[in-house]
Amino acid sequence: MGTSLKKHWFKFEAFLQIPKPICWQGWACYAITILTIIIIGRFLIMIGKGSTPHIVLVIVTCMTYLMAVAITKSNFIEMGLSLKQI
């Protein structure tokens, strides 16, 4: 079952590469991730809990969310299956 790129939000050029947004939903995911990191980071600094481990935890959590969305809404699975057949 082939899916068109119009249904994808991101596109992977090569295996294990940074996903590239190809529609507005992909760009919105990037924007939401960056804004979330900035807002929560500034909030943690404002309340006095802005130590490095807390901010790193926020960044890692947001990037994990972004990669999970990018993998499910991209051509990553089809690319992996095509590499498996080689």
Side-chain angles (χ1 to χ4, degrees):
M1 283 184 206
T3 59
S4 66
L5 284 178
K6 292 182 182 181
K7 294 182 180 181
H8 296 309
W9 296 359
F10 298 94
K11 180 180 180 184
F12 284 87
E13 296 289 327
F15 199 67
L16 297 177
Q17 193 180 30
I18 296 173
K20 294 172 181 57
I22 56 173
C23 66
W24 71 268
Q25 291 98 336
W27 287 108
C29 284
Y30 270 109
I32 290 169
T33 301
I34 292 169
L35 287 174
T36 302
I37 291 170
I38 291 170
I39 291 169
I40 293 176
R42 290 190 59 102
F43 177 74
L44 287 174
I45 291 170
M46 186 177 68
I47 65 170
K49 302 272 187 197
S51 64
T52 303
H54 289 104
I55 293 175
V56 168
L57 179 65
V58 168
I59 291 171
V60 169
T61 304
C62 289
M63 295 307 291
T64 303
Y65 162 75
L66 176 67
M67 289 307 295
V69 170
I71 287 172
T72 57
K73 292 292 192 175
S74 70
N75 64 335
F76 186 80
I77 296 171
E78 289 93 4
M79 189 180 357
L81 291 173
S82 68
L83 288 174
K84 184 179 177 183
Q85 293 174 355
I86 294 178

